[in-house]
Amino acid sequence: MTVSREIGPSGEYPNKELMSVAGNIALNYIKESLPLLHIAVAKGIGRNVVGSVLGRPEDEEIGIDKIGENVITGIIDRENLPLQVYSEHADPFIAPKEGAKLRAALDPFDNSSEYKRGLPTPVFTCMSLYDLDNNPLAGVTANLETNKVYLNIEGKNYVIDDFLKGTPPRRIFKSERKSIKDEGATIAMYTGSNQYSRLINSQFRDMIDVMHIKGRTFANGGAFIYGPLAEGAVDAYIMPREPREEIDAGFALAHFANMTSLIVHKDGRREPYRFDRSKYHEEVDLFICASTPELAEEIINLQNKAA
């Protein structure tokens, strides 16, 4: 069985008016949250644990997570927006807006575990917006140290190299990599948690062995990774037992970059990934987001069969 590229699950282009509203929400969120979060990160604020993450004992909610959540709920209240917001720290959502026409998946502070420990790991805030049929409409991801912003508005991906300095946006595009064996191939896999590093080692030893000596495995991932994927800096993201909430907050960038995004089930079945609010706190057996169907197929074929 070969991988097919399915970008619009409904087969229809999303409502353009909703896309415009969603794009404005994404832009307003980053305008208001980035200055606050940038200062907080520079000062090391908010490393204290304030809660847990549903179904994920390895993860925790820390104080700085509340900044992004408070910003988006403030925007909703002020503008009376028809928006429900799903966050990994809430069950099921932090803004149960009645009559909502839009849904947002929010990761208010990505790489929080590393930040809490004082590790020099980049940190991000990420949000994707969807219609009520779960089709992506817009999205934004921001590096909270460098102020680099990845933005999807009206179906087009942009990068703004320093949002706070007013750097003009420029269009970005995914890579067209077709083989993991290429000299320049870069594959991302999150290995920061022991449970994930063990899974990756057991399932993808063979894949790593056949990579070119100049190929790169980028040992990070999560909601922010779809920015580098959309920009072509990363060719594929591979994660066993990936929580959907880590995908959904950044997924709009991958969707509109025309990435091949798949769930691979334990029995070998494959299906195109899509946001599903009823499964928001679940995980998938194996998630692959690759620049081309050929690359996704090669990765699946190189997965250790005994894993």
Side-chain angles (χ1 to χ4, degrees), residues 132-146:
L132 297 187
D133 293 322
N134 298 329
N135 297 306
L137 297 173
V140 65
T141 289
N143 185 313
L144 304 177
E145 295 175 337
T146 67

Side-chain angles (χ1 to χ4, degrees), residues 6-64:
E6 292 191 35
I7 297 304
S10 68
E12 299 178 356
Y13 194 69
N15 181 292
K16 289 187 178 181
E17 182 180 352
L18 281 181
M19 288 189 81
S20 179
V21 171
N24 285 331
I25 293 171
L27 193 55
N28 286 335
Y29 170 72
I30 216 64
K31 282 181 179 178
E32 296 191 24
S33 65
L34 182 54
L36 298 174
L37 287 164
H38 176 74
I39 292 171
V41 169
K43 294 182 177 180
I45 293 171
R47 290 192 168 107
N48 55 304
V49 176
V50 298
S52 59
V53 178
L54 184 67
R56 295 171 60 187
E58 80 284 356
D59 207 352
E60 296 169 316
E61 181 179 15
I62 61 175
I64 201 168

Side-chain angles (χ1 to χ4, degrees), residues 125-156:
T125 190
C126 311
M127 183 171 69
S128 288
L129 294 106
Y130 302 83
D131 65 18
L132 297 187
D133 293 322
N134 298 329
N135 297 306
L137 297 173
V140 65
T141 289
N143 185 313
L144 304 177
E145 295 175 337
T146 67
N147 305 318
K148 182 175 182 177
V149 168
Y150 301 95
L151 182 66
N152 176 271
I153 291 183
E154 297 185 352
K156 297 178 181 178

